[in-house]
């Protein structure tokens, strides 16, 4: 689940993951007000997974609200929700340093791989 300019990074990551057999359903929210929670909840109920990817800080952002709404809906997930965003740090004034904090396709792929690996380690027999 993503919105805004981050959708291009998410689509690039989804294509790369698809080439390795990992199917990602990308929801582009388009706008946050009103947020189409029905579509999001339907997707999460079907896939039993949730990753929220955005440029904002992961702490206290819209992504956290989406995760909270999914939890409040009582949808059981196969693994904990994944939030990928800017670390909880000040954004540097230098554009190149600021850009280094914002998620890109490579980081998205790494974090999804890591989440899958962590979950697989817990359920493997």
């Amino acid at each position: 689940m993503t919105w805004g300019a981050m959708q291009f990074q998410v689509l690039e990551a989804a294509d790369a993951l698809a080439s390795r057999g990992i199917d990602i359903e990308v929801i582009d929210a388009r706008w946050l007000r009103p947020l189409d929670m029905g579509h999001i909840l339907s997707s999460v109920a079907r896939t039993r997974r949730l990753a929220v990817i955005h440029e904002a800080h992961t702490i206290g952002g819209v992504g956290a609200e989406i995760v909270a709404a999914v939890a409040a809906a009582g949808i059981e997930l196969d693994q904990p929700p994944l939030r990928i965003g800017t670390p909880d740090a000040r954004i540097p004034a230098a554009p190149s340093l600021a850009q280094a904090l914002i998620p890109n396709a490579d980081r998205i792929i790494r974090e999804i791989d890591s989440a899958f690996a962590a979950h697989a380690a817990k359920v493997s027999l």
Side-chain angles (χ1 to χ4, degrees), residues 24-47:
I24 305 292
E25 180 175 324
V26 178
I27 297 174
D28 178 7
R30 301 276 178 192
W31 49 79
L32 299 177
R33 293 279 188 252
L35 183 60
D36 187 359
M37 280 307 299
H39 184 69
I40 295 166
L41 293 174
S42 173
S43 174
V44 173
R46 185 175 55 260
T47 63

Side-chain angles (χ1 to χ4, degrees), residues 45-97:
R46 185 175 55 260
T47 63
R48 299 176 56 95
R49 296 189 192 314
L50 172 63
V52 180
I53 305 162
H54 55 82
E55 293 180 49
H57 292 102
T58 54
I59 304 298
V62 174
E65 290 297 321
I66 292 167
V67 170
V70 168
I75 298 172
E76 187 175 331
L77 301 177
D78 288 340
Q79 64 188 73
L82 179 61
R83 293 186 302 157
I84 302 173
T86 300
D88 192 22
R90 289 183 178 204
I91 302 298
S96 61
L97 294 176

